[in-house]
Amino acid sequence: MGEEAKAAAALAEIAVTDAAAVPKPTPPPAAVAVDPRLQGISDAIRVVPHFPKQGIMFNDITPLLLRPGVFKDAVDIFVERYRGMAIAAVAGIEARGFIFGPAIALAIGAKFIPLRKPKKLPGEVISETYVLEYGTDCLQMHVGAIEPGERVLIVDDLVATGGTLCAAIRLLERAGADVVECACLIGLPKFKECTWLHSLQIASERWTDIDKSAVHY
């Protein structure tokens, strides 16, 4: 091979090596698939202006409850998330947490613990008082309902400022529970780890993401 041919071959080899060394562009991330069930859930929740007082936009879940297939979809979304997470108990906040909580608990093989307003539970209770915009409120739970170290999921229909959820967290932790997450059907944008659909969130809030200083709900 002549000198010119050798030089050309050497240049070609360098070009191939250099080309291999150049990093390939990273492909754009794949779009996250939206669960098709969310649209039906969103459509089934009615927003009622100025209820129960002027300026409040009330999210009414009763139309969802009248549609068994959509109701089941809402429960199934949570069940799919929490099945296999060794949840020992589901704690539902009065009152609408009692609608979704027992269904989730049965499906994942957990016990259900009602967190109730004062004077609703007979027998010995443990209480947690929290501050509202105008006054205070309280959640109560039966003494002995939870064993120390049990993994607990808190369920309610809606999270606004997180005040009631924070009270529930404190109540359960005082009893020795390991609060894993707070699961709410409807939420507001200040909370993280939520799948959005228009004005609706299917929210599974890690309790560590909730501002424990929030006391207005």
Side-chain angles (χ1 to χ4, degrees):
M1 181 182 294
E3 292 299 324
E4 292 184 359
K6 289 181 180 180
L11 288 172
E13 183 178 351
I14 292 171
V16 170
T17 302
D18 288 346
V22 175
K24 296 181 180 180
T26 303
V32 177
V34 176
D35 192 318
R37 295 172 293 185
L38 296 181
Q39 185 63 59
I41 295 170
S42 178
D43 292 343
I45 296 175
R46 176 177 59 172
V47 177
V48 182
H50 310 302
F51 182 84
K53 62 182 181 179
Q54 190 71 21
I56 302 269
M57 302 296 286
F58 184 82
N59 287 270
D60 181 16
I61 64 168
T62 54
L64 180 149
L65 304 178
L66 297 174
R67 300 169 62 179
V70 180
F71 187 11
K72 182 178 185 300
D73 285 343
V75 171
D76 286 349
I77 286 173
F78 289 122
V79 170
E80 290 162 11
R81 177 175 179 86
Y82 296 111
R83 182 182 284 132
M85 289 180 64
I87 303 293
V90 175
I93 296 175
E94 187 171 348
R96 289 182 291 275
F98 296 174
I99 296 173
F100 297 97
I104 296 169
L106 284 173
I108 65 175
K111 61 185 176 183
F112 177 75
I113 301 173
L115 305 183
R116 302 216 63 182
K117 298 299 177 67
K119 300 180 180 179
K120 297 291 185 68
L121 290 172
E124 189 177 2
V125 298
I126 179 174
S127 303
E128 181 69 34
T129 300
Y130 58 104
V131 181
L132 298 169
E133 188 174 0
Y134 303 105
T136 62
D137 209 338
C138 179
L139 288 176
Q140 294 184 332
M141 174 180 69
H142 271 135
V143 170
I146 197 75
E147 297 293 331
E150 284 188 319
R151 289 167 58 82
V152 179
L153 170 69
I154 299 174
V155 174
D156 203 357
D157 71 322
L158 179 143
V159 52
T161 63
T164 304
L165 288 176
C166 288
I169 291 164
R170 292 192 298 268
L171 179 64
L172 286 156
E173 288 184 336
R174 284 171 50 207
D178 175 12
V179 179
V180 178
E181 288 189 343
C182 298
C184 300
L185 188 71
I186 307 165
L188 296 179
K190 67 171 287 187
F191 296 98
K192 302 174 184 178
E193 297 184 19
C194 302
T195 302
W196 275 91
L197 180 67
H198 305 303
S199 61
L200 169 71
Q201 287 179 331
I202 301 297
S204 295
E205 307 295 349
R206 289 198 54 79
W207 68 268
T208 50
D209 290 336
I210 295 176
D211 180 4
K212 291 192 176 183
S213 67
V215 292
H216 304 297
Y217 187 47

PDB file of all heavy atoms in Angstrom, residues 40-57:
ATOM      1  N   GLY A  40     -63.370   9.734  33.716  1.00  0.00           N
ATOM      2  CA  GLY A  40     -64.681   9.400  34.249  1.00  0.00           C
ATOM      3  C   GLY A  40     -64.846   9.857  35.684  1.00  0.00           C
ATOM      4  O   GLY A  40     -65.924  10.321  36.088  1.00  0.00           O
ATOM      5  N   ILE A  41     -63.775   9.758  36.469  1.00  0.00           N
ATOM      6  CA  ILE A  41     -63.821  10.213  37.858  1.00  0.00           C
ATOM      7  C   ILE A  41     -64.000  11.730  37.907  1.00  0.00           C
ATOM      8  O   ILE A  41     -64.821  12.255  38.670  1.00  0.00           O
ATOM      9  CB  ILE A  41     -62.543   9.792  38.603  1.00  0.00           C
ATOM     10  CG1 ILE A  41     -62.476   8.260  38.709  1.00  0.00           C
ATOM     11  CG2 ILE A  41     -62.473  10.435  39.987  1.00  0.00           C
ATOM     12  CD1 ILE A  41     -61.145   7.740  39.202  1.00  0.00           C
ATOM     13  N   SER A  42     -63.242  12.423  37.068  1.00  0.00           N
ATOM     14  CA  SER A  42     -63.355  13.883  37.021  1.00  0.00           C
ATOM     15  C   SER A  42     -64.762  14.319  36.637  1.00  0.00           C
ATOM     16  O   SER A  42     -65.342  15.223  37.253  1.00  0.00           O
ATOM     17  CB  SER A  42     -62.341  14.447  36.013  1.00  0.00           C
ATOM     18  OG  SER A  42     -62.455  15.847  35.905  1.00  0.00           O
ATOM     19  N   ASP A  43     -65.319  13.659  35.630  1.00  0.00           N
ATOM     20  CA  ASP A  43     -66.658  14.028  35.154  1.00  0.00           C
ATOM     21  C   ASP A  43     -67.729  13.772  36.212  1.00  0.00           C
ATOM     22  O   ASP A  43     -68.787  14.423  36.198  1.00  0.00           O
ATOM     23  CB  ASP A  43     -67.003  13.245  33.885  1.00  0.00           C
ATOM     24  CG  ASP A  43     -66.145  13.656  32.696  1.00  0.00           C
ATOM     25  OD1 ASP A  43     -65.522  14.737  32.765  1.00  0.00           O
ATOM     26  OD2 ASP A  43     -66.091  12.893  31.720  1.00  0.00           O
ATOM     27  N   ALA A  44     -67.488  12.830  37.108  1.00  0.00           N
ATOM     28  CA  ALA A  44     -68.498  12.444  38.094  1.00  0.00           C
ATOM     29  C   ALA A  44     -68.474  13.317  39.347  1.00  0.00           C
ATOM     30  O   ALA A  44     -69.340  13.172  40.204  1.00  0.00           O
ATOM     31  CB  ALA A  44     -68.308  10.982  38.481  1.00  0.00           C
ATOM     32  N   ILE A  45     -67.504  14.206  39.473  1.00  0.00           N
ATOM     33  CA  ILE A  45     -67.428  15.086  40.642  1.00  0.00           C
ATOM     34  C   ILE A  45     -68.009  16.443  40.276  1.00  0.00           C
ATOM     35  O   ILE A  45     -67.541  17.102  39.350  1.00  0.00           O
ATOM     36  CB  ILE A  45     -65.980  15.220  41.148  1.00  0.00           C
ATOM     37  CG1 ILE A  45     -65.493  13.852  41.641  1.00  0.00           C
ATOM     38  CG2 ILE A  45     -65.889  16.251  42.264  1.00  0.00           C
ATOM     39  CD1 ILE A  45     -64.045  13.816  42.067  1.00  0.00           C
ATOM     40  N   ARG A  46     -69.020  16.848  41.020  1.00  0.00           N
ATOM     41  CA  ARG A  46     -69.733  18.094  40.743  1.00  0.00           C
ATOM     42  C   ARG A  46     -69.186  19.218  41.615  1.00  0.00           C
ATOM     43  O   ARG A  46     -69.010  19.045  42.818  1.00  0.00           O
ATOM     44  CB  ARG A  46     -71.235  17.897  41.026  1.00  0.00           C
ATOM     45  CG  ARG A  46     -72.075  19.149  40.870  1.00  0.00           C
ATOM     46  CD  ARG A  46     -73.541  18.862  41.084  1.00  0.00           C
ATOM     47  NE  ARG A  46     -73.806  18.300  42.410  1.00  0.00           N
ATOM     48  CZ  ARG A  46     -75.028  18.106  42.889  1.00  0.00           C
ATOM     49  NH1 ARG A  46     -76.087  18.381  42.151  1.00  0.00           N
ATOM     50  NH2 ARG A  46     -75.195  17.603  44.107  1.00  0.00           N
ATOM     51  N   VAL A  47     -68.926  20.361  41.005  1.00  0.00           N
ATOM     52  CA  VAL A  47     -68.485  21.536  41.754  1.00  0.00           C
ATOM     53  C   VAL A  47     -69.694  22.432  42.000  1.00  0.00           C
ATOM     54  O   VAL A  47     -70.358  22.869  41.056  1.00  0.00           O
ATOM     55  CB  VAL A  47     -67.390  22.310  40.997  1.00  0.00           C
ATOM     56  CG1 VAL A  47     -66.992  23.564  41.769  1.00  0.00           C
ATOM     57  CG2 VAL A  47     -66.170  21.414  40.772  1.00  0.00           C
ATOM     58  N   VAL A  48     -69.984  22.690  43.277  1.00  0.00           N
ATOM     59  CA  VAL A  48     -71.148  23.490  43.675  1.00  0.00           C
ATOM     60  C   VAL A  48     -70.649  24.829  44.216  1.00  0.00           C
ATOM     61  O   VAL A  48     -70.020  24.871  45.272  1.00  0.00           O
ATOM     62  CB  VAL A  48     -71.983  22.770  44.744  1.00  0.00           C
ATOM     63  CG1 VAL A  48     -73.222  23.595  45.108  1.00  0.00           C
ATOM     64  CG2 VAL A  48     -72.373  21.374  44.258  1.00  0.00           C
ATOM     65  N   PRO A  49     -70.903  25.938  43.496  1.00  0.00           N
ATOM     66  CA  PRO A  49     -70.415  27.245  43.960  1.00  0.00           C
ATOM     67  C   PRO A  49     -71.141  27.712  45.228  1.00  0.00           C
ATOM     68  O   PRO A  49     -72.323  27.439  45.423  1.00  0.00           O
ATOM     69  CB  PRO A  49     -70.736  28.182  42.784  1.00  0.00           C
ATOM     70  CG  PRO A  49     -71.030  27.297  41.624  1.00  0.00           C
ATOM     71  CD  PRO A  49     -71.569  26.024  42.197  1.00  0.00           C
ATOM     72  N   HIS A  50     -70.369  28.395  46.084  1.00  0.00           N
ATOM     73  CA  HIS A  50     -70.919  29.080  47.267  1.00  0.00           C
ATOM     74  C   HIS A  50     -71.659  28.120  48.202  1.00  0.00           C
ATOM     75  O   HIS A  50     -72.733  28.436  48.714  1.00  0.00           O
ATOM     76  CB  HIS A  50     -71.837  30.230  46.835  1.00  0.00           C
ATOM     77  CG  HIS A  50     -71.213  31.146  45.831  1.00  0.00           C
ATOM     78  ND1 HIS A  50     -70.032  31.819  46.068  1.00  0.00           N
ATOM     79  CD2 HIS A  50     -71.587  31.471  44.566  1.00  0.00           C
ATOM     80  CE1 HIS A  50     -69.706  32.536  45.007  1.00  0.00           C
ATOM     81  NE2 HIS A  50     -70.633  32.335  44.073  1.00  0.00           N
ATOM     82  N   PHE A  51     -71.069  26.944  48.416  1.00  0.00           N
ATOM     83  CA  PHE A  51     -71.620  25.984  49.371  1.00  0.00           C
ATOM     84  C   PHE A  51     -70.490  25.434  50.223  1.00  0.00           C
ATOM     85  O   PHE A  51     -69.429  25.083  49.680  1.00  0.00           O
ATOM     86  CB  PHE A  51     -72.327  24.829  48.646  1.00  0.00           C
ATOM     87  CG  PHE A  51     -72.956  23.826  49.577  1.00  0.00           C
ATOM     88  CD1 PHE A  51     -74.221  24.047  50.103  1.00  0.00           C
ATOM     89  CD2 PHE A  51     -72.267  22.689  49.964  1.00  0.00           C
ATOM     90  CE1 PHE A  51     -74.790  23.133  50.979  1.00  0.00           C
ATOM     91  CE2 PHE A  51     -72.826  21.779  50.847  1.00  0.00           C
ATOM     92  CZ  PHE A  51     -74.095  22.003  51.351  1.00  0.00           C
ATOM     93  N   PRO A  52     -70.617  25.363  51.533  1.00  0.00           N
ATOM     94  CA  PRO A  52     -71.803  25.702  52.335  1.00  0.00           C
ATOM     95  C   PRO A  52     -71.930  27.189  52.670  1.00  0.00           C
ATOM     96  O   PRO A  52     -72.882  27.555  53.356  1.00  0.00           O
ATOM     97  CB  PRO A  52     -71.578  24.882  53.605  1.00  0.00           C
ATOM     98  CG  PRO A  52     -70.094  24.804  53.734  1.00  0.00           C
ATOM     99  CD  PRO A  52     -69.566  24.729  52.335  1.00  0.00           C
ATOM    100  N   LYS A  53     -70.975  28.010  52.194  1.00  0.00           N
ATOM    101  CA  LYS A  53     -71.104  29.444  52.409  1.00  0.00           C
ATOM    102  C   LYS A  53     -70.502  30.179  51.220  1.00  0.00           C
ATOM    103  O   LYS A  53     -69.808  29.585  50.378  1.00  0.00           O
ATOM    104  CB  LYS A  53     -70.433  29.866  53.719  1.00  0.00           C
ATOM    105  CG  LYS A  53     -68.925  29.620  53.783  1.00  0.00           C
ATOM    106  CD  LYS A  53     -68.362  30.029  55.131  1.00  0.00           C
ATOM    107  CE  LYS A  53     -66.851  29.807  55.186  1.00  0.00           C
ATOM    108  NZ  LYS A  53     -66.295  30.227  56.498  1.00  0.00           N
ATOM    109  N   GLN A  54     -70.743  31.464  51.149  1.00  0.00           N
ATOM    110  CA  GLN A  54     -70.295  32.287  50.035  1.00  0.00           C
ATOM    111  C   GLN A  54     -68.784  32.178  49.835  1.00  0.00           C
ATOM    112  O   GLN A  54     -68.008  32.244  50.786  1.00  0.00           O
ATOM    113  CB  GLN A  54     -70.681  33.754  50.295  1.00  0.00           C
ATOM    114  CG  GLN A  54     -70.485  34.685  49.110  1.00  0.00           C
ATOM    115  CD  GLN A  54     -71.488  34.436  47.990  1.00  0.00           C
ATOM    116  OE1 GLN A  54     -72.544  33.860  48.217  1.00  0.00           O
ATOM    117  NE2 GLN A  54     -71.157  34.858  46.797  1.00  0.00           N
ATOM    118  N   GLY A  55     -68.384  32.004  48.587  1.00  0.00           N
ATOM    119  CA  GLY A  55     -66.961  31.955  48.256  1.00  0.00           C
ATOM    120  C   GLY A  55     -66.357  30.571  48.246  1.00  0.00           C
ATOM    121  O   GLY A  55     -65.233  30.382  47.780  1.00  0.00           O
ATOM    122  N   ILE A  56     -67.079  29.572  48.746  1.00  0.00           N
ATOM    123  CA  ILE A  56     -66.573  28.196  48.774  1.00  0.00           C
ATOM    124  C   ILE A  56     -67.011  27.477  47.499  1.00  0.00           C
ATOM    125  O   ILE A  56     -68.178  27.519  47.125  1.00  0.00           O
ATOM    126  CB  ILE A  56     -67.119  27.429  49.990  1.00  0.00           C
ATOM    127  CG1 ILE A  56     -66.733  28.145  51.274  1.00  0.00           C
ATOM    128  CG2 ILE A  56     -66.662  25.975  49.961  1.00  0.00           C
ATOM    129  CD1 ILE A  56     -65.457  27.740  51.896  1.00  0.00           C
ATOM    130  N   MET A  57     -66.054  26.820  46.840  1.00  0.00           N
ATOM    131  CA  MET A  57     -66.356  25.959  45.693  1.00  0.00           C
ATOM    132  C   MET A  57     -66.329  24.516  46.203  1.00  0.00           C
ATOM    133  O   MET A  57     -65.266  23.945  46.417  1.00  0.00           O
ATOM    134  CB  MET A  57     -65.353  26.176  44.567  1.00  0.00           C
ATOM    135  CG  MET A  57     -65.278  27.612  44.073  1.00  0.00           C
ATOM    136  SD  MET A  57     -66.826  28.169  43.330  1.00  0.00           S
ATOM    137  CE  MET A  57     -66.765  27.265  41.777  1.00  0.00           C
TER     138      MET A  57
END
